[in-house]
Amino acid sequence: MGEILKPLKGDFHLTDYQSVYETFNWKDVSLFNKQTVNAAYETIDRHVEEGYGEKIALHYVNQDKREDLTFKEVQRQVNHYVHILRSNGVKKGDRVFIFLPKNPACYIAILATIRIGAIAGPLFEGFMEEAIKERINDCKANVLITDQTLGERIKTENIPTVATILYQETIEKAPIVEDHYVEWMDPGEGMLIHYTSGSTGQPKGVLHAHRAVTHHAQSGKWVLDVHDEDVYWCTSHPGWVTGSVYGLFAPWLNRATIVIQGGRFNAKLWYQIIEDLGVSILYSAPTAFRYLMAEGDLYKQYDLSSLRHILSVGEPLNPEVIYWAHRALQLRIHDTWWMTETGGHIIVNLPSEPIKPGSMGRPFPGIEVGILDEEGNELPRGEIGQLAVKTTWPGLMKTIWNNDEKFRSYFPYKGWYISGDLATQDEDGYIFFQGRHDDMINSSGERIGPFEVESSLIEHPAVKEAGVIGKPDEIRGEIVKAFITLRSNVDETPELKESIRQHVKTRLAAHSAPREIEVINELPKTKISGKILRRELKQKEIERQAIDKS
Ligand code: ATP
Ligand code: MG
């Protein structure tokens, strides 16, 4: 691939990846060795006890509203929620679902639930009736915390196990009573349940244990590289695992000041927030970066000089986007790979290390990654295989709720966790994403990863976004078909399509060039994280073929 981006210079927490990778052991982290632990206590209360109560814990911005809270003030509100939950009879092991907008109360409710030993189930604010119902019933939740607006999407008769619904407005109106109770937990006991994004099928309820905070804290330190003076902004809602692990736990375990932004993506607003709040670290997703890139020179209207570190997660990060940020913002985007099930970073790019655009990075210290064949044997470097992680590590899920069979299916070979993704690893240890196991295209015997083709497509000046699938074909098995959206002011013509095809052909290979290109208005995506739903594109294509045939 293209040029390697040099490591940054700075006062980073981890400066010598190779030697740390060789010597690091989770047992070196004091948090790991605790007999009893409480994730919520470690996240907030400990800092207050250690004398950092007056430090700003969060900046909340929502339209004209702006609120800043210190760690002491966050703790006070958590104490209040603890009181409310306990006086409603909530106890260890209960499932408390939290359906709130991205606001401080959402973060506080999660922490209060966990501090009393109950299991927090944060739900994305974009969910509608059916999605909420499914998740709550799968978990047999006991309690729901919501607000008046989102609460309208809930029909009590649909969620029979929920005995109590608490409204944010009511909780906040009640006189503050501080309850300092902490339930000390065995590190293996559950604290948090997150449903996966549903990119490949039914979302799975992934249960995480308190021990995961070791993973959160250590990756927060090394990968997010948070320091005391940083203003850290993770744009994900805590209803997704990124929004809780890297939006709440990892930064706060490291005592960072975080930004909570109400509302959705808007390029101008995002740049404005960075300028106004002096954001120094930004963690977001490829879709957001692609949109910023499509806005062109807009960034020039803002003072973004506070920004020093950018990270990405959730789907493949196209090299073109990395080069754009490097040119425009003079910053690299650090890709990270992990899954709801892994509970924390597995493959990362560190600020002190070179980046190979197109690669997700290298394994996090204390974690060993393997590329396996279909029998579970490790493949030589350079070959495409199943991306697997050697068991075990602190963030690894405890189980899939209510589905032990599914849980066991992640471990088909002794000693390995199987991700469901395909990847290759090069001689330097860098890992390159190839696609989901099920998304791989097989055309005339050639295996083609959709991501590489998509990245090549969006290099073309006319293309905004691309989703690539294998379309069933009687002769070739499958052919490469691309669905694209065009940049504004570009018209669809046969010549344009041919020029796009030629672009991929000359950059990648003849067999990778899409035989069919279809221009659409919008790509189907999972909510918020904006992952391209290739499964849906393919399903529609197969249905259309069936109609054509009949
Ligand atoms: P479901 O499991 O319900 O089908 P999902 O796999 O999208 O949904 P998540 O746990 O949110 O749910 O996402 C994890 C997946 O996201 C990974 O398996 C991988 O396919 C993709 N992913 C995450 N980070 C990256 C990355 N940096 N590069 C490429 N793909 C990534
Ligand atoms: Mg998945």
Side-chain angles (χ1 to χ4, degrees), residues 196-200 204 339-341 410 417 419 421 436 531:
T196 56
S197 303
S199 307
T200 55
K204 303 163 280 276
M339 307 168 64
T340 309
E341 295 90 331
Y410 289 90
Y417 162 90
S419 68
D421 289 348
R436 306 268 183 154
K531 298 184 190 204

Side-chain angles (χ1 to χ4, degrees), residues 316 439 450 454 468-469 532-539:
D439 286 342
E454 287 162 13
V468 168
I469 60 156
I532 297 166
L533 282 166
R534 299 185 190 82
R535 172 171 53 99
E536 204 162 287
L537 289 170
K538 185 158 182 167
Q539 193 53 41

Side-chain angles (χ1 to χ4, degrees), residues 4 17-18 21-22 356 359 361-363 371 379-383 423-432:
I4 293 175
Y17 171 80
Q18 206 56 45
Y21 187 78
E22 277 156 25
K356 297 189 181 186
S359 163
R362 287 179 288 179
I371 307 291
L379 287 164
R381 294 278 164 108
E383 288 193 25
T424 61
Q425 188 169 27
D426 74 7
E427 289 304 325
D428 304 323
Y430 283 78
I431 294 157
F432 294 76

Side-chain angles (χ1 to χ4, degrees), residues 300-516:
K300 289 186 177 162
Q301 296 170 26
Y302 300 86
D303 176 3
L304 306 175
S305 56
S306 58
L307 208 52
R308 70 167 181 91
H309 187 27
I310 308 181
L311 304 102
S312 172
V313 70
E315 58 167 353
L317 179 64
N318 320 83
E320 183 63 17
V321 179
I322 301 181
Y323 291 127
W324 166 77
H326 200 241
R327 272 195 316 270
L329 311 174
Q330 269 120 54
L331 289 167
R332 314 185 306 175
I333 303 179
H334 299 73
D335 197 10
T336 58
W337 178 92
W338 62 296
M339 307 168 64
T340 309
E341 295 90 331
T342 69
H345 289 149
I346 298 292
I347 299 168
V348 298
N349 282 286
L350 298 165
S352 61
E353 295 297 314
I355 286 180
K356 297 189 181 186
S359 163
M360 310 189 287
R362 287 179 288 179
F364 186 84
I367 289 177
E368 215 174 303
V369 167
I371 307 291
L372 310 186
D373 68 15
E374 300 293 327
E375 270 82 52
N377 305 308
E378 274 193 82
L379 287 164
R381 294 278 164 108
E383 288 193 25
I384 299 177
Q386 308 186 71
L387 177 54
V389 191
K390 207 165 248 179
T391 53
T392 187
W393 63 94
L396 176 62
M397 65 178 159
K398 180 178 161 74
T399 191
I400 300 284
W401 192 269
N402 217 359
N403 197 342
D404 195 48
E405 195 184 324
K406 179 75 205 169
F407 176 68
R408 277 186 276 116
S409 74
Y410 289 90
F411 309 94
Y413 320 113
K414 200 170 178 312
W416 291 102
Y417 162 90
I418 300 294
S419 68
D421 289 348
L422 297 174
T424 61
Q425 188 169 27
D426 74 7
E427 289 304 325
D428 304 323
Y430 283 78
I431 294 157
F432 294 76
F433 181 82
Q434 299 296 319
R436 306 268 183 154
H437 203 278
D438 305 334
D439 286 342
M440 209 62 186
I441 302 165
N442 196 327
S443 186
S444 306
E446 300 283 356
R447 274 151 61 88
I448 301 152
F451 167 57
E452 198 181 32
V453 183
E454 287 162 13
S455 284
S456 176
L457 283 164
I458 71 161
E459 283 169 11
H460 191 284
V463 180
K464 187 171 166 203
E465 290 202 285
V468 168
I469 60 156
K471 175 180 173 174
D473 181 87
E474 276 172 18
I475 297 161
R476 297 184 174 82
E478 286 179 323
I479 58 160
V480 179
K481 167 148 190 179
F483 293 87
I484 58 170
T485 60
L486 296 176
R487 291 198 182 212
S488 42
N489 309 326
V490 179
D491 289 328
E492 177 185 351
T493 61
E495 294 75 31
L496 177 71
K497 283 188 185 173
E498 189 49 32
S499 111
I500 294 171
R501 237 182 71 73
Q502 285 304 325
H503 174 85
V504 180
K505 193 172 167 181
T506 50
R507 299 296 161 98
L508 293 180
H511 66 261
S512 301
R515 285 190 176 266
E516 284 184 25

Side-chain angles (χ1 to χ4, degrees), residues 6 18 34 50 55 105 164 166 172 244 294 305 371 448 455-456 482 494 498 522:
K6 289 205 198 75
Q18 206 56 45
K34 292 199 169 173
E50 289 176 0
K55 192 185 170 188
T164 312
L166 300 167
E172 281 171 7
S244 80
S305 56
I371 307 291
I448 301 152
S455 284
S456 176
E498 189 49 32
E522 220 178 318

